[in-house]
Amino acid sequence: MNVKPALRLRGHPLLYAICLHLAIGASLWGYNIGVLSSVLVHPGFSKTLRDPPPSTRGIITGVYYVGTLLSYIFLAHPLADWLGRKSAAAIGTVVMVIGMWCMAAARGLAPLVVGRLACGLGVGIISTTVPLYQSEISPAKERGKFVTMNHVGFIAGMAVGLWVGYGMSFWKTTSGDFWGWRFSIFFQIIPASIFLLGLPFLPETPRWLVQQGRKDEAKAILHTLRPSSIATQELHLISTSTTRLPPTFSSFKRLTFSLFRDPALFTRLWRAFLLQFMAQMCGAAAMKYYLPSLLQNLGLSVQSSLMAGAIEMTLKIGMTVVEMWIIDRLGRRLCLVLGAVIMGVAMLINGALPLMYPDNMNKPADVICIMFIFVYAMGYSLGLGPAAWIFPTSVRARGLNLAASGGALGSIIVSQIWPLGNAAFGSGIYFFFMIVNFACAPTIWFLYPETKGRELEDMDALFGETDTQRELAMGINNGEQVSASPRTSGEEQDRLLAD
């Protein structure tokens, strides 16, 4: 598809417009998380499900991540590679909207679970396709800046979800009990519609077009996004480094299995999977979904806890810039370790003080616990929150999706552990996550090399040179026809464009 003339933008203004629109897509999965945390404490929601026990709340939270896990493994990558990044994002949005309707119309547990599962399936596609699109259209030297807009959109979506839930808490009539939490869920139709209606006006990524043999369209789009001299050079580099494979199950299976059989790729894959797994096992999923309930346990009312969560998430939007500045200067590994230690200390405080001063008998102790919940959030943003991983171009989408499945698996586990553990052990459940966070620190320090200051092509020096590109270029594996250069890898392309 050619660039729509209605955009009337070129170069950086067009890039900013595209990434701003993609940030709306990122806000969809942020809103899904933020709004459920307010729905779980809404009195009308409890009445609809007849005061569900902790195990039921855990199922409602966890089934969403079952959907994302299935999406990461089976749906997101094939759709993005076979239909294109835009079409995949559109399909994910439609599936999410269907799930939203099921949830908003639910009068019992079954349709609510089905809706949550559908939302997870849709968000799983969106949450991997949007960052992939952003990284593929952004200039190498400024990729971090443009991709950061994705994280800002995610945080903004969570903040809006909490603010909408806070607003619905003032609707205390009988109608409010019935419609309040349903409206909170239904509200996301607005950003979803804006995102979906705007997708046809966005260009497809040049890299995907070259993979499909549509080089003329890729050339036209690159000349719209870049100055002519850079566009010509970038098109040449993309053409020589991009593998052209037919959209068949055979090609999909072959490149997927290369992540496991190629030692250099597998060493990246298991580290990426483990990093995403730790990013949720540290307690982050519980802190996002059960934050209002946690604050209620520390003496705040429902409205005050929702407001505190919304304020914290809103301030976090601005803190994203500060956190990125710190990360760039201290290095990724040190920030990951510091973040894990900070989160561990915050969990220790929240586990110990309520045991020392039970039943909210000491207000200063409750205030300290509330403060350290926000300290925990800062530690997460500094370390595991924005953690990402780099794979070679030919397996980037597959690698990122398989790595993201580690986060989904961790979220499923945590969504069950937290409500049941909190019901059984009270604040003692914090000690479990304290141990996890303190264990993450040495794990990261000894197993993950520092990547600060390294060009992307230097990743081969850290993890070993892959042989996938060479195999594809030689056209082996059952004689399937492919096209790639054994000399120009995706990392070399990024370096040359950055020079």
Side-chain angles (χ1 to χ4, degrees):
M1 180 180 293
N2 292 320
V3 182
K4 298 290 183 180
L7 289 173
R8 298 184 184 278
L9 295 173
R10 299 182 67 87
H12 271 60
L14 177 57
L15 277 172
Y16 277 110
I18 292 173
C19 288
L20 181 62
H21 189 76
L22 294 174
I24 297 175
S27 73
L28 295 178
W29 78 83
Y31 188 92
N32 261 274
I33 294 174
V35 75
L36 187 68
S37 64
S38 65
V39 166
L40 288 174
V41 296
H42 193 280
F45 177 80
S46 296
K47 291 178 182 177
T48 300
L49 296 185
R50 297 178 177 84
D51 194 19
S55 58
T56 300
R57 294 176 183 269
I59 291 172
I60 294 170
T61 303
V63 72
Y64 171 84
Y65 288 105
V66 173
T68 61
L69 179 63
L70 293 173
S71 225
Y72 292 149
I73 296 176
F74 299 111
L75 297 178
H77 166 254
L79 289 174
D81 268 7
W82 295 351
L83 301 180
R85 304 349 182 184
K86 291 197 309 175
S87 296
I91 291 172
T93 304
V94 171
V95 173
M96 189 208 73
V97 169
I98 293 173
M100 174 205 71
W101 276 98
C102 290
M103 290 178 63
R107 292 175 178 266
L109 180 62
L112 190 67
V113 169
V114 171
R116 283 286 289 168
L117 180 65
C119 281
L121 288 169
V123 168
I125 299 170
I126 301 170
S127 63
T128 52
T129 305
V130 167
L132 181 62
Y133 186 115
Q134 285 176 317
S135 66
E136 289 188 341
I137 66 165
S138 301
K141 291 180 70 173
E142 302 175 276
R143 184 168 294 128
K145 176 178 64 178
F146 286 108
V147 174
T148 298
M149 295 175 68
N150 174 73
H151 184 60
V152 173
F154 171 74
I155 298 298
M158 289 185 64
V160 172
L162 285 165
W163 280 117
V164 170
Y166 172 66
M168 291 300 101
S169 69
F170 289 92
W171 193 0
K172 296 182 179 296
T173 63
T174 303
S175 297
D177 271 357
F178 182 83
W179 289 108
W181 67 273
R182 300 175 193 273
F183 178 83
S184 297
I185 295 171
F186 186 73
F187 183 82
Q188 62 189 305
I189 192 67
I190 297 176
S193 298
I194 295 172
F195 181 62
L196 190 60
L197 293 174
L199 281 174
F201 296 95
L202 303 186
E204 189 52 86
T205 69
R207 186 179 304 280
W208 182 79
L209 291 171
V210 171
Q211 284 180 329
Q212 306 306 306
R214 296 156 61 180
K215 191 172 180 179
D216 290 341
E217 293 180 58
K219 178 180 178 180
I221 291 172
L222 278 172
H223 279 273
T224 305
L225 297 171
R226 313 274 195 270
S228 295
S229 59
I230 296 178
T232 301
Q233 180 189 25
E234 184 168 349
L235 180 63
H236 171 72
L237 293 170
I238 291 175
S239 299
T240 57
S241 67
T242 299
T243 300
R244 291 186 56 191
L245 286 170
T248 63
F249 178 74
S250 175
S251 62
F252 169 76
K253 181 176 68 173
R254 177 156 52 113
L255 285 180
T256 300
F257 285 168
S258 71
L259 285 162
F260 296 91
R261 71 168 184 263
D262 187 325
L265 291 177
F266 184 68
T267 193
R268 300 188 196 199
L269 179 62
W270 72 258
R271 283 183 170 90
F273 182 93
L274 179 60
L275 193 66
Q276 295 296 328
F277 183 72
M278 290 189 294
Q280 299 306 319
M281 284 302 297
C282 67
M287 285 294 190
K288 292 171 184 173
Y289 282 112
Y290 303 116
L291 178 60
S293 300
L294 300 178
L295 295 175
Q296 278 183 269
N297 292 338
L298 294 171
L300 295 184
S301 66
V302 173
Q303 285 185 342
S304 297
S305 63
L306 287 171
M307 183 179 67
I311 291 174
E312 186 266 341
M313 201 58 62
T314 303
L315 294 175
K316 198 172 179 180
I317 298 173
M319 284 303 297
T320 300
V321 179
V322 177
E323 290 157 359
M324 293 306 296
W325 182 86
I326 295 174
I327 290 170
D328 285 342
R329 280 151 183 79
L330 295 183
R332 167 44 72 221
R333 181 171 64 170
L334 180 57
C335 285
L336 285 167
V337 172
L338 288 176
V341 172
I342 291 171
M343 290 188 291
V345 171
M347 290 293 188
L348 172 62
I349 297 297
N350 273 274
L353 288 183
L355 293 178
M356 295 171 62
Y357 304 100
D359 301 322
N360 307 111
M361 61 182 294
N362 188 298
K363 291 300 179 184
D366 291 341
V367 171
I368 291 173
C369 286
I370 293 172
M371 290 173 57
F372 271 90
I373 286 177
F374 296 133
V375 169
Y376 173 93
M378 297 303 298
Y380 184 74
S381 294
L382 176 66
L384 289 166
W389 205 259
I390 298 167
F391 288 92
T393 305
S394 60
V395 293
R396 184 168 297 156
R398 296 164 182 80
L400 292 177
N401 277 282
L402 289 173
S405 67
L409 183 61
S411 295
I412 292 170
I413 296 172
V414 171
S415 66
Q416 301 303 307
I417 290 177
W418 190 279
L420 295 175
N422 191 48
F425 306 110
S427 67
I429 189 62
Y430 283 98
F431 294 125
F432 170 81
F433 293 100
M434 174 200 73
I435 294 171
V436 171
N437 280 287
F438 285 151
C440 285
T443 301
I444 292 168
W445 185 260
F446 291 110
L447 295 182
Y448 291 81
E450 179 58 71
T451 59
K452 176 187 175 183
R454 286 182 176 270
E455 297 285 356
L456 292 179
E457 79 277 5
D458 292 336
M459 298 303 163
D460 284 346
L462 292 176
F463 304 108
E465 184 176 358
T466 67
D467 56 12
T468 304
Q469 285 287 337
R470 182 174 292 106
E471 290 180 1
L472 290 171
M474 294 172 62
I476 63 173
N477 292 317
N478 298 325
E480 185 173 352
Q481 184 177 359
V482 296
S483 173
S485 165
R487 292 181 173 272
T488 309
S489 67
E491 286 77 6
E492 288 172 342
Q493 173 187 333
D494 290 330
R495 177 186 61 79
L496 291 171
L497 291 175
D499 289 342

